[in-house]
Amino acid sequence: MKFKNPTRIGAFDPPVIAAFVLCALAGTPQVAAQCDVEGEAAGQDLDLARQACNRASERFELLFGNAPPPGTVVVSDTVQFFSIASQGRNWKLVWPSSRNLREFFTEGSGGDRTMEEAVALQWSAVLPHELGHLMLDAEAEVRRSVASPTRRLPDWLHEGVAVWMEPPVHRRDEYAILRALGPYTPPVDDLLGFTIAHSPDGGTGGSTLIQTFYPCASEQACGGRPHWSRTFTVTTRHLPDGEVRVDTTFHEHAPPPPGPLAANFYAYAATFVRYLHHQGGATALSAVLDRYAGSSQDAISLAAIPGLPGDGARVEDGWRAWFTRWILEG
């Protein structure tokens, strides 16, 4: 589970900067077998889970040229947030029922969305996103040789693939954000080496809200907020079983605002996946995954990946030219 761009879930007003972890729906029958959907939830919820899995499987095959390894989605009336029961080749995801989602998304908790819109977003975007993570890890495990160590795939690939599973409207919104930031184009090495904060439980599920509060002119100006004259960060962790953990950290010096790559990492990662697919199709993405699965190093070279030039400098030039043509000017 990753730190999602807060604009995906709801807007947060200054002086709060937040990252919301919760970490679309059309599918085709031929990919339904990629998920064994089970659980005690209502039949409509089981159908929604199948649709989400169909979409993720369909998108995965478009990216890599083959169907993802099959797994299990359990729709449960006993969890409030999703949890990962197992990863790798035999992946299993436990997902909350619509009733439990409604208990969490009370009116107003989804930002500008109504409760029903917030619940629908979980089924249509968040569930396929999280399935994308599990399918990618499972596929890497299938491709990993016995001699290759088990290692985590880079964040750009994980998030770029997972965002690819979401409805296209989300990507259109993010492209608009990137155009507004033009002419900034992240260097390839910065993008491939960027690491986002990971959830404190190792990514087993739930949600994390991180809010950094900055000083106000007075307590009244902050609406009666405690510690109005200090900078502090509140981390609220909701575990799948309903437990809530809250930690507050006070800062002697205000943390610097995130740069454009950190603030919009999901959008840039998804755009880079689109770039690779545009240049070399599923063959390119498959080759990238093979290189990571077969490497003992954290970094790989993209030189000579199908559709890309044979040296790093030309890869950088090609990425910048493509980004300008298809994103900034698109």
Side-chain angles (χ1 to χ4, degrees), residues 282-307:
T283 305
L285 269 302
S286 182
V288 168
L289 186 56
D290 281 339
R291 287 194 186 183
Y292 276 116
S295 175
S296 60
Q297 305 298 317
D298 290 336
I300 64 165
S301 170
L302 295 182
I305 287 290

Side-chain angles (χ1 to χ4, degrees), residues 1-327:
M1 175 175 289
K2 303 297 188 303
F3 287 81
K4 298 276 287 182
N5 187 324
T7 60
R8 292 177 176 275
I9 305 299
F12 295 90
D13 294 329
V16 181
I17 293 179
F20 199 4
V21 183
L22 278 174
C23 281
L25 284 186
T28 52
Q30 60 265 33
V31 293
Q34 297 310 114
C35 287
D36 179 16
V37 177
E38 58 188 51
E40 70 276 17
Q44 183 178 7
D45 282 356
L46 300 182
D47 288 341
L48 289 171
R50 291 187 187 97
Q51 291 177 51
C53 185
N54 289 353
R55 173 173 179 82
S57 300
E58 191 176 54
R59 298 290 289 177
F60 187 98
E61 187 163 359
L62 179 63
L63 276 183
F64 295 102
N66 59 270
T72 302
V73 178
V74 179
V75 185
S76 172
D77 274 329
T78 60
V79 300
Q80 282 194 312
F81 300 94
F82 82 84
S83 61
I84 298 171
S86 61
Q87 295 174 270
R89 298 191 188 199
N90 299 311
W91 60 266
K92 185 175 183 179
L93 179 72
V94 181
W95 183 260
S97 66
S98 292
R99 184 187 70 182
N100 285 16
L101 288 171
R102 289 188 186 97
E103 289 179 0
F104 173 70
F105 286 107
T106 56
E107 291 295 340
S109 65
D112 295 333
R113 297 181 175 88
T114 67
M115 178 181 65
E116 289 304 318
E117 287 173 334
V119 170
L121 182 67
Q122 297 300 300
W123 288 107
S124 67
V126 180
L127 179 52
H129 179 106
E130 300 303 338
L131 289 172
H133 286 304
L134 290 171
M135 291 174 177
L136 180 62
D137 274 336
E139 181 67 18
E141 188 65 27
V142 168
R143 298 185 184 210
R144 185 175 290 113
S145 67
V146 177
S148 298
T150 299
R151 48 187 299 278
R152 193 179 184 285
L153 295 171
D155 286 341
W156 76 267
L157 184 58
H158 250 301
E159 297 307 334
V161 168
V163 170
W164 187 272
M165 307 302 171
E166 299 174 11
V169 64
H170 294 297
R171 291 189 294 279
R172 289 198 296 271
D173 292 344
E174 289 179 335
Y175 296 156
I177 294 172
L178 299 186
R179 291 187 189 102
L181 293 172
Y184 179 76
T185 306
V188 170
D189 288 346
D190 289 357
L191 183 55
L192 270 57
F194 189 86
T195 300
I196 57 180
H198 293 166
S199 57
D201 66 352
T204 58
S207 86
T208 300
L209 174 65
I210 300 178
Q211 296 172 289
T212 297
F213 296 86
Y214 292 87
C216 294
S218 66
E219 183 176 356
Q220 291 72 27
C222 275
R225 190 185 73 195
H227 313 296
W228 60 269
S229 62
R230 302 188 64 180
T231 300
F232 61 99
T233 297
V234 178
T235 302
T236 305
R237 176 77 176 139
H238 294 264
L239 300 180
D241 62 4
E243 180 185 355
V244 180
R245 299 176 186 172
V246 180
D247 296 300
T248 301
T249 302
F250 292 94
H251 304 286
E252 182 177 354
H253 303 288
L261 178 56
N264 300 281
F265 177 69
Y266 284 72
Y268 283 117
T271 302
F272 196 73
V273 167
R274 177 187 170 189
Y275 161 68
L276 293 173
H277 193 267
H278 193 189
Q279 297 301 104
T283 305
L285 269 302
S286 182
V288 168
L289 186 56
D290 281 339
R291 287 194 186 183
Y292 276 116
S295 175
S296 60
Q297 305 298 317
D298 290 336
I300 64 165
S301 170
L302 295 182
I305 287 290
L308 300 190
D311 66 83
R314 291 174 60 204
V315 169
E316 180 71 36
D317 291 342
W319 156 242
R320 289 182 175 278
W322 182 92
F323 192 86
T324 298
R325 167 65 181 86
W326 292 98
I327 303 300

